[in-house]
Amino acid sequence: MRICVYPGTFDPFTVGHLDILIRAEKLFDKVIIGLLQNTAKTPFFTEEERKRFICQTAEAANVKNYDIVAFSGLLVDFAQQNNAVAVIRGLRAVTDFEYELQIAAMNKKLAPKLETVFLMTNTRYSYLSSSMVREVGSFGGDITGLVPEAICQEVVLRLKPIRS
Ligand code: ADP
């Protein structure tokens, strides 16, 4: 059984995240989505909401070989505790690359057997980030097509009151 972990804040889960999840599921037997808690950035959506958004999205997209596990602390420890052989990260722009390269190099030093696998973004989603969704949504902008259809209405409702 080849397991990978896909860590992130997923605040909220976007179609870019879904694209990476679907592709990772094809490469590995199981994808463990590592839902980050206690990060430097306080998430807008609660852990429960973020988890539920992923579940609803995965169900609608027929993604089955996955699990969601909240975690804090070192990613390499989390990966090892879950018997993962690889960490999946998505890459959008050059700016992602520099940051990710640094993290991948450090993780390699901490856990030499653990691989980091980068999946290039689908070009349609190269501009898409959770923070962009929160920003646009909070001003009442249309986020259709940016977050999965299964959760769009709920995300819109949660974001709107911020500025109104
Ligand atoms: P983090 O807080 O770790 O950056 P995110 O929730 O923002 O977590 O992203 C989780 C992962 O998904 C990261 O590897 C990020 O590069 C990737 N990702 C985010 N948006 C996209 C996208 N539009 N296309 C491809 N990968 C993406």
Side-chain angles (χ1 to χ4, degrees):
M1 178 108 164
R2 298 188 77 74
I3 299 171
C4 70
V5 293
Y6 177 32
T9 315
F10 307 113
D11 187 35
F13 204 68
T14 69
V15 289
H17 293 134
L18 175 61
D19 182 63
I20 297 290
L21 172 62
I22 289 172
R23 289 158 61 197
E25 199 205 16
K26 286 187 188 138
L27 296 172
F28 293 88
D29 299 313
K30 187 171 181 184
V31 182
I32 295 183
I33 300 175
L35 196 60
L36 270 163
Q37 326 170 291
N38 308 329
T39 49
K41 39 183 182 180
T42 309
F44 172 79
F45 293 96
T46 65
E47 190 183 309
E48 292 315 309
E49 285 174 318
R50 289 181 288 139
K51 196 169 179 177
R52 185 158 42 78
F53 289 156
I54 299 172
C55 288
Q56 286 170 216
T57 301
E59 194 177 340
N62 210 20
V63 173
K64 294 197 179 348
N65 302 320
Y66 82 100
D67 211 347
I68 307 170
V69 182
F71 85 104
S72 55
L74 280 181
L75 175 61
V76 292
D77 291 342
F78 175 71
Q80 280 164 349
Q81 281 154 14
N82 286 281
N83 300 316
V85 292
V87 173
I88 296 283
R89 295 292 289 172
L91 279 184
R92 281 160 297 187
V94 183
T95 42
D96 272 351
F97 180 78
E98 284 191 33
Y99 174 70
E100 295 292 343
L101 183 68
Q102 221 178 349
I103 294 177
M106 178 55 77
N107 287 343
K108 196 76 191 162
K109 181 175 170 5
L110 296 172
K113 286 186 185 155
L114 186 68
E115 293 295 342
T116 301
V117 174
F118 292 110
L119 295 180
M120 299 304 296
T121 182
N122 181 321
T123 48
R124 275 186 292 172
Y125 308 137
S126 57
Y127 63 93
L128 181 56
S129 64
S130 296
S131 58
M132 198 74 89
V133 167
R134 292 196 305 275
E135 184 73 8
V136 172
S138 68
F139 283 110
D142 186 8
I143 57 167
T144 311
L146 304 183
V147 292
E149 210 183 316
I151 62 169
C152 195
Q153 205 178 355
E154 204 178 331
V155 173
V156 167
L157 286 175
R158 268 288 266 124
L159 287 173
K160 255 191 181 158
I162 307 179
R163 316 268 177 181
S164 58

